[in-house]
Amino acid sequence: ENITAWNLPLGDKLWLPAAEALKTNTQCKHLIIYGCDIGPEGAAALADALLVNTGLESIDYNENKMSWAGLRKIEAAWSKTRSDTARAAIATGGKWSAADASNKPDVVAKVAQM
């Protein structure tokens, strides 16, 4: 089953209950939350959900307002709970992928200075 939220102005406030529900939704395999104004708090909530719900196979969270710290949390949760093959399935988030956030500390440092 796919869950798609495309360009819905959810923001963190409306995303937090959805992230909580995602913890127990074992039917969802592919999650698309594209352009939903999800910020750092929502990214942390998504990371928490990923630690519990290990059935997700892919996530597309492009065009949100997640911070580098949020992206790193998502990447860490995904890597901790997925096999080597499944780890490659995570989509990009915003301008950078979660993998970029953890694998390129020099880029993180430069962006943090902006």
Side-chain angles (χ1 to χ4, degrees):
E1 179 179 323
N2 298 340
I3 295 177
T4 302
W6 193 272
N7 289 326
L8 296 176
L10 296 175
D12 284 342
K13 184 176 180 178
L14 294 176
W15 168 248
L16 294 177
E20 188 65 28
L22 187 61
K23 291 179 181 180
T24 57
N25 182 334
T26 58
Q27 299 300 312
C28 181
K29 300 299 179 200
H30 307 282
L31 176 65
I32 299 171
I33 46 174
Y34 181 96
C36 294
D37 294 330
I38 298 169
E41 190 177 2
L46 175 57
D48 289 345
L50 293 175
L51 290 171
V52 177
N53 182 341
T54 59
L56 282 172
E57 297 172 6
S58 68
I59 307 170
D60 181 345
Y61 51 97
N62 276 296
E63 300 300 323
N64 283 288
K65 298 176 181 178
M66 298 174 182
S67 65
W68 277 104
L71 291 173
R72 285 192 297 268
K73 286 179 184 178
I74 292 169
E75 194 276 333
W78 187 267
S79 293
K80 184 176 182 178
T81 57
R82 277 27 180 215
S83 67
D84 288 340
T85 304
R87 285 183 196 146
I90 196 164
T92 60
K95 294 181 182 177
W96 307 279
S97 72
D100 287 342
S102 64
N103 293 332
K104 298 181 182 175
D106 57 322
V107 173
V108 174
K110 286 179 185 175
V111 171
Q113 293 173 1
M114 293 179 168

